[in-house]
Structure formats: structure tokens, C-alpha cells
Amino acid sequence: MNYLDYINSNKERYLDELKQFLSIPSVSTDPKHKHDVRACAEFVEKKLTEAGLENVKVYETGGHPLVYGDWLYAGDDKPTVLIYGHYDVQPVDPLELWNAPPFSPTIKGDKIFARGASDDKGQVFIHVKSIESYLKTKGNLPINVKIIVEGEEEIGSDHLDSFIESNKSLLGCDFVLVSDTAMYQPGLPAICYGLRGLVYMEVNVTGPNRDLHSGAFGGAVDNPANALAHIISRLKDLNGEILIPGFYDDVKELTDDEREEFRKLPFNEEKFKDDLGVEDVFGEKGYTTLERKSARPTLDVNGIWGGFQGEGAKTVLPSKAGAKISMRLVPDQDPDKIQNLFTDYIKSIAPKSVKVEISGTHNAKPAITPIDSDEINAAKVALKRSFGVEPVFIREGGSIPVVNTFQELLNAPTILIGFGLNDENIHSPNEHFDLNNFYKGIESISFYFEELGKLNYSNK
Ligand code: BES
Ligand code: ZN
């Protein structure tokens, strides 16, 4: 049997196993789910073993565990690819906005709904099932394959760098392959060559030592919620420009060629607005929406709290207020430097009438990956064979912290081929994954293995 027939005749089972994977609540940020996260690693371990990989093992990292497996019999003249993905997921709140429970995968039409369906369990499973389909039908792979699936991507991959540092030969490879991004649009595959970096901060403002009657005390003591609003209003102007001194110093401007490529991509701004239910787009002057959402730096409040939030009114001057604020970075901005600039600026504008504490949660470096290589050309051939059209090259606005680490520690470039879609609600209620892309993904990656097997690495 060839692998395409195998994929076809195992469709139901693949879907069934994906459902099991999606049923495990592996929310990495929540200590309450620590055991579920481990159970999920063990599930991945089992699936890698069943796929026919060897040396499959759950490794401890100091945080959540990661899973590794390999198949290394293709020979030295064949490429060695390291496939990377994550089995951890984002929190599910607000739970009441889900149409079905987030960890009871539900199929509606061609879509499977569950937290992690698109980001990233469904996409990780594409690789596992490509490997299985290939190995079970041919008895071998045309290239050497290593796979690492981690459990801390959604919280910044904090323990992964040191794992890579101390396991360089285990993970050594010619390049890394990742499916944790999106296609450009339905039917149009994309190779992503740029990711933004991230600085995630928390600002806590404290005023009086207890909540106060806003009539009895208002006007005489500062209100931390007002002070916080004042601080936030000075981070960004009404044109979307970030006001932190030095913030833009290291930003590499887009080249004319790059901007031309952006302009060539099909993009319907009216539809974009309609989908999101917004009257207008918003962002830095002088840049298009596509440029703003993937290739320009940003600053956003992710969450804000303080004072009375219940039904009705309570006249109170709160004791505390706070906000979580993220900045997406582009090359060559450095997260540590931006974190310091942010902290210094807030300290310099914070009113003396309140106490302001600033702390960092996690950082990720931005990344740009090369697109003029034999491996990229092979990816183009494989995607065209599966989808019938050439992929487009795009930059994505999200972050995958380890991409930079692979380059720095393993000297390995990353190829990002995503099978998600932009409207699949990742990090949001009702996350889902298009099952057509799940199966197309399995086919594409199998084709990709085959194309990569044609490359001769004996001179590399
Ligand atoms: N799959 C995403 C990255 C992504 C999002 C790529 C959107 C392309 C478009 C990934 O799992 C993710 O969400 N990463 C986090 C990393 C952060 C916590 C360091 C992110 O970008 O918020
Ligand atoms: Zn994510």
C-alpha cells in the first residue's frame, strides 16, 4: 500500500486519536493542570512510539516535560530534520463563550472545535501521522527525522533553551521544521519567514492601604486605577505610535522589495473588518494593515483590573489596580533592552502619589528565516503537489520563542509551514481546526519528506 492509501484508510482512526489528544487539558500556565500537562506528554510519547519512531522518551526540563523521538537510518547523505511543535495550550477563559466544552472535542461540518485544535496539537499530529503513514507503508523514511514536542511554548519556552544547550548532539540537525503558523487563506498554503518577538510585562499600582469611600476620600488621595490609566495613556499616541523613548531604535525597516511582496498578497480590508466586527482598522500611520499585523512592533494591554467590577455601582476608591501589557517586537529589537526601556519609562512617568511595581513575565526574540534554499524549494514543490497552488511567503505577527534559539545554539534555520487558518480562534473561545487541512497537512508533509529525500547532502 502506498502512503496516500494508508492515510485515506486510516482517516477515522487519525481523527479519533486527535480527539483523545485534544481531550487532555494541557494548560501550561495553570499550576492546577500540572498533571494534565504531564499526561499529555505521555500521550505524545505513546503516539510517537506507535508511529514507529525510536528513542522515544519524556525528558524532564525543570518545568513541564518535553518529548523526543527519532528515526535516523536514511544515511549521512540525506538531510536530518528536527520537527518541533508544542502540546501545551492556552487557558480557556472566558469559558461561558464556548459553544461546547473546550476539552470535549466537537465536530461541526469540516471543523473540529477544542482548545489546542489549531494551536498546536492538530498541527503536531500532522507530523506524527505523516511519519506513521510513511513508516508503516514503506518501512523507512527518505530522510533522518528527529522530533521534539514541548510543553511550555505558550508560556515562553523558559526551560527549552537550557535543554537544547545541554543536548546539542541529540538535537543536531540540518534544519528545523515547524507547523505552528497559518496558511495565508483557505486553499492557499504559506511558508512563513518572519515571526515577531515578545516582551510581556505586568504593572501593579497600589494606592491607599485599603479600599476607601470615594466620597469621603476622593480628591484627597490618588486613585491607583486613575494613575494606571494615566500611565497607559502615555505609552502610545492616537496614531498608534509607541512613546517609549528608544523603542524604535533597532527596528529594521521593511525593504522596498518586501513591501512590494506584501502588496501583491491578496487582502480584502473590508472583509477583514467585517469578520472582526470593527468599524475601522487601527495602527501606525504609513503602514498597511498586513505590515502592521506582522512586520511592525506593537504595544497592547492584554488585561486590566482594579476596583469594583460587580453588578450595579459601589462608590469606592480602590486600593490596587494593575495591567498586563505585551509588546511584539521585530528584528533587530532585543527583548531585554525593550524590557528595560519600558521599565525606565514607566518609572519616569509614574506619579509619586502611588506605588508602581513593574515585572516581566516572559520574553521572546523576533526571527527572520532564510527562504533561498534547496529545502525551501522542496517545500514549494510538496505544497504545490498537495494544494495545487504555489505557497506564498509571509511574515506572521505571533511568536515562537525557540526559533531564534535553534539558529543560535544549533546553527539550524527553521522552516515554518503552517496548516492553521487565521480565523480559527487561537487563544480565544471556540478554537477550531479545519479537518481538510489536517488531512492535506499529513499529505503535504509526506510529500515533503519525499522531496527532501531527493536532496543530496553528501557535500554538505
Ligand atoms: N502558534 C502561536 C504563534 C503564532 C500565532 C504564529 C499567530 C503565527 C500567528 C504560538 O503557539 C503562540 O501563541 N506563541 C505565543 C508565544 C509567547 C507566549 C512567548 C504568542 O505568540 O503569544
Ligand atoms: Zn499559541
Side-chain angles (χ1 to χ4, degrees):
M1 194 191 279
N2 69 32
Y3 60 73
L4 290 178
D5 293 334
Y6 185 90
I7 296 169
N8 218 4
S9 49
N10 285 281
K11 269 184 151 176
E12 292 293 311
R13 178 172 60 84
Y14 283 180
L15 180 57
D16 231 55
E17 292 178 24
L18 175 60
K19 279 190 190 162
Q20 292 171 32
F21 194 11
L22 291 171
S23 304
I24 309 170
S26 49
V27 182
S28 50
T29 198
D30 189 346
K32 198 168 83 235
H33 284 295
K34 194 167 171 237
H35 297 291
D36 298 314
V37 175
R38 181 167 296 272
C40 199
E42 285 161 7
F43 178 86
V44 173
E45 178 188 32
K46 184 160 172 271
K47 293 298 143 190
L48 295 186
T49 307
E50 286 170 9
L53 290 166
E54 300 186 353
N55 301 309
V56 177
K57 191 173 155 187
V58 173
Y59 284 86
E60 299 306 323
T61 64
H64 297 303
L66 61 80
V67 195
Y68 170 90
D70 62 28
W71 190 93
L72 301 172
Y73 302 110
D76 287 349
D77 57 339
K78 297 294 174 194
T80 299
V81 57
L82 173 65
I83 295 165
Y84 161 85
H86 63 96
Y87 68 80
D88 66 319
V89 300
Q90 287 274 332
V92 296
D93 62 288
L95 185 59
E96 65 279 9
L97 295 185
W98 286 76
N99 298 325
F103 297 109
S104 303
T106 307
I107 294 172
K108 268 203 208 127
D110 288 342
K111 299 173 177 143
I112 184 161
F113 288 78
R115 169 57 86 233
S118 176
D119 180 12
D120 182 33
K121 288 176 176 174
Q123 302 210 54
V124 164
F125 226 49
I126 283 176
H127 290 268
V128 179
K129 293 302 156 190
S130 303
I131 294 168
E132 173 181 331
S133 309
Y134 220 105
L135 278 177
K136 298 286 172 196
T137 51
K138 293 195 186 282
N140 60 43
L141 290 170
I143 55 172
N144 302 302
V145 170
K146 301 180 175 183
I147 181 166
I148 177 173
V149 188
E150 72 148 321
E152 297 196 313
E153 197 272 350
E154 298 291 7
I155 47 173
S157 299
D158 278 351
H159 298 89
L160 190 55
D161 285 9
S162 61
F163 182 84
I164 296 172
E165 177 74 60
S166 34
N167 289 280
K168 282 189 182 165
S169 71
L170 181 75
L171 301 174
C173 59
D174 296 304
F175 71 98
V176 181
L177 176 60
V178 179
S179 295
D180 191 21
T181 50
M183 295 173 52
Y184 186 70
Q185 58 187 34
L188 182 53
I191 297 176
C192 170
Y193 68 93
L195 291 164
R196 287 197 285 203
L198 182 74
V199 171
Y200 201 104
M201 304 294 293
E202 186 164 324
V203 179
N204 281 288
V205 184
T206 311
N209 58 11
R210 57 193 186 275
D211 285 3
L212 301 173
H213 188 290
S214 64
F217 293 90
V221 263
D222 201 357
N223 177 329
N226 290 12
L228 178 63
H230 184 68
I231 291 170
I232 289 173
S233 73
R234 295 182 65 183
L235 295 176
K236 210 167 157 175
D237 71 14
L238 293 173
N239 290 325
E241 192 166 319
I242 294 153
L243 301 172
I244 300 168
F247 183 85
Y248 291 98
D249 283 1
D250 300 322
V251 171
K252 217 187 213 161
E253 284 298 323
L254 286 159
T255 63
D256 289 345
D257 285 353
E258 245 184 325
R259 299 194 81 175
E260 185 52 36
E261 289 304 316
F262 268 107
R263 265 189 288 276
K264 282 195 215 147
L265 290 170
F267 183 69
N268 182 337
E269 192 144 296
E270 287 311 310
K271 182 168 179 304
F272 179 78
K273 291 194 284 194
D274 267 11
D275 277 353
L276 301 179
V278 295
E279 284 300 314
D280 206 354
V281 293
F282 172 79
E284 244 184 315
K285 291 260 173 307
Y287 296 94
T288 65
T289 302
L290 274 186
E291 289 168 347
R292 290 172 185 161
K293 76 192 262 301
S294 63
R296 292 293 302 169
T298 64
L299 182 149
D300 281 290
V301 174
N302 292 236
I304 187 162
W305 60 91
F308 181 63
Q309 323 254 324
E311 289 268 330
K314 179 186 177 199
T315 48
V316 68
L317 194 161
S319 159
K320 288 177 187 303
K324 293 183 192 275
I325 299 172
S326 74
M327 287 158 278
R328 295 281 170 178
L329 311 184
V330 299
D332 294 321
Q333 287 178 297
D334 174 64
D336 293 339
K337 182 170 167 191
I338 296 293
Q339 177 165 342
N340 289 335
L341 292 175
F342 176 92
T343 307
D344 292 347
Y345 178 59
I346 295 213
K347 281 188 185 152
S348 77
I349 61 173
K352 298 287 167 281
S353 44
V354 288
K355 186 166 110 202
V356 177
E357 289 160 302
I358 308 151
S359 56
T361 312
H362 47 244
N363 288 348
K365 286 185 180 166
I368 290 282
T369 61
I371 53 173
D372 52 348
S373 64
D374 293 342
E375 295 78 11
I376 289 281
N377 290 335
K380 279 198 215 170
V381 173
L383 289 167
K384 169 115 197 253
R385 190 170 156 201
S386 185
F387 287 91
V389 284
E390 287 257 335
V392 291
F393 286 91
I394 57 166
R395 284 170 70 159
E396 291 262 34
S399 313
I400 305 176
V402 73
V403 168
N404 195 276
T405 314
F406 286 138
Q407 187 62 54
E408 282 180 6
L409 295 184
L410 299 180
N411 196 23
T414 295
I415 294 182
L416 296 143
I417 304 175
F419 297 100
L421 290 172
N422 285 311
D423 62 358
E424 290 185 328
N425 294 350
I426 65 172
H427 295 206
S428 171
N430 303 312
E431 177 175 354
H432 56 277
F433 190 37
D434 188 321
L435 291 171
N436 298 310
N437 293 333
F438 175 57
Y439 297 119
K440 275 273 174 217
I442 299 173
E443 181 185 277
S444 305
I445 295 300
S446 306
F447 288 161
Y448 193 26
F449 291 158
E450 199 175 304
E451 288 304 318
L452 287 168
K454 296 178 188 165
L455 299 181
N456 190 337
Y457 267 55
S458 48
N459 300 323
K460 288 222 174 183

